Amino acid sequence: MKSTSGVPAYRRVLLKLSGEALMGSDAYGINLEVLTRIASEIKSVTVIGVQLAVVIGGGNIFRGMAHAARGMDRASADYMGMLATIMNSLALQDALEKLDVPVRVQSALRFEQVVEPYIRRRAIRHLEKGRTVVFAAGTGNPFFTTDTAASLRGAEIGADVLLKATKVDGIYDRDPVKHPDAKRFNQISYNEVLERRLGVMDAASIALCRDQNLSVRVFNITNPGDLMRICLGENVGTLVKGD
Ligand code: UDP
């Protein structure tokens, strides 16, 4: 990966957007202004030729229902969480279409009147045709997270990198909110993330990236332009890769 002005550093990227990224400063749900800004950032990188797939989370909706889910059977609660990701996908699809970005949503759970089912080869074909693909419903399995879905889909579509969008500008040795002297890593290995339990993504998703040699870049999606800078090869946030 090298920085060359205007030329994308990656051919195909998997962007993991947490549901919380869509909330802005709201307590739950989708903030339209934030959604539109993220959609326009996605548009800008597709315009320079990056093939972009998105895995979207559901925390913004699902954690608002956490009280109702408490005491529920875990698998049922997790299916509710996956349904929340489908709602977010539809919102992102709508925001992208308003900006004339061609987009398809594919769901790991069948919901065919609304979105396409996940079909790996069809997803790749969409990407090749310049369509953004939004992967909904995580892995389709309870007891997993959308981070694991991002690693899985990233590996399946042959993404060059997994971009993990957060509200923090990288991985720190301690929680930077609680510890102002926390140190940010420029680069770190998968094993170090796991051994130090840095908690940026769950262990299953980091281990899958390690085993498939899919590098991960953790960055702050609330910084306008960072997604584009990364796609142009700039060293933004923290890179997670092999030793
Ligand atoms: N979920 C699941 N299997 C998956 C992906 C997600 O069961 O493969 C459920 C799980 O309950 C999770 C919720 O969906 O808490 C929302 O996903 P996640 O917490 O990963 O969303 P984010 O934190 O990224 O917004």
Side-chain angles (χ1 to χ4, degrees):
M1 188 188 67
K2 61 177 190 294
S3 178
T4 317
S5 92
V7 178
Y10 303 110
R11 183 179 66 101
R12 187 172 292 161
V13 164
L14 189 297
L15 173 67
K16 163 68 208 301
L17 269 183
S18 68
E20 265 125 21
L22 307 180
M23 290 190 326
S25 50
D26 298 347
Y28 63 88
I30 299 170
N31 180 301
L32 212 56
E33 216 173 288
V34 170
L35 179 69
T36 306
R37 184 186 59 76
I38 291 175
S40 72
E41 297 218 21
I42 289 174
K43 177 175 179 164
S44 63
V45 300
T46 60
V47 164
I48 63 163
V50 176
Q51 297 179 16
L52 194 90
V54 183
V55 167
I56 198 151
N60 56 322
I61 297 169
F62 186 61
R63 280 190 260 291
M65 305 184 307
H67 192 68
R70 206 168 298 142
M72 271 181 67
D73 168 57
R74 166 75 193 266
S76 297
D78 280 350
Y79 281 113
M80 288 166 69
M82 286 183 260
L83 291 175
T85 72
I86 297 178
M87 289 195 231
N88 283 333
S89 302
L90 294 179
L92 182 61
Q93 173 174 248
D94 184 81
L96 288 167
E97 283 181 341
K98 284 208 171 89
L99 299 175
D100 298 319
V101 178
V103 53
R104 298 290 185 274
V105 178
Q106 291 201 344
S107 171
L109 293 174
R110 296 180 91 90
F111 211 60
E112 280 162 38
Q113 284 87 348
V114 185
V115 291
E116 291 182 9
Y118 173 65
I119 299 172
R120 175 180 163 267
R121 290 173 62 103
R122 185 188 275 188
I124 291 172
R125 190 81 190 108
H126 287 322
L127 293 168
E128 286 169 349
K129 287 185 172 174
R131 297 173 185 143
T132 294
V133 180
V134 182
F135 293 122
T139 63
N141 302 291
F143 310 109
F144 285 90
T145 66
T146 50
D147 281 347
T148 311
S151 308
L152 178 64
R153 296 292 184 246
E156 285 187 274
I157 64 169
D160 302 315
V161 68
L162 192 169
L163 301 182
K164 158 91 176 166
T166 70
K167 289 180 174 175
V168 182
D169 63 349
I171 304 178
Y172 285 76
D173 57 351
R174 286 177 294 167
D175 184 347
V177 179
K178 291 185 197 144
H179 305 275
D181 59 336
K183 183 179 139 290
R184 185 168 66 82
F185 297 99
N186 188 31
Q187 190 173 311
I188 187 168
S189 70
Y190 306 108
N191 284 336
E192 207 175 347
V193 171
L194 291 171
E195 280 155 21
R196 296 174 76 143
R197 296 173 185 267
L198 290 172
V200 57
M201 287 165 81
D202 60 84
S205 58
I206 288 286
L208 186 52
C209 288
R210 179 193 59 197
D211 296 349
Q212 298 309 315
N213 203 22
L214 174 60
S215 55
V216 179
R217 189 172 282 279
V218 179
F219 74 107
N220 187 348
I221 188 74
T222 71
N223 273 351
D226 274 4
L227 179 62
M228 177 59 111
R229 281 189 272 279
I230 291 168
C231 288
L232 290 174
E234 282 186 40
N235 189 11
V236 174
T238 299
L239 182 65
V240 187
K241 59 196 285 273
D243 296 312

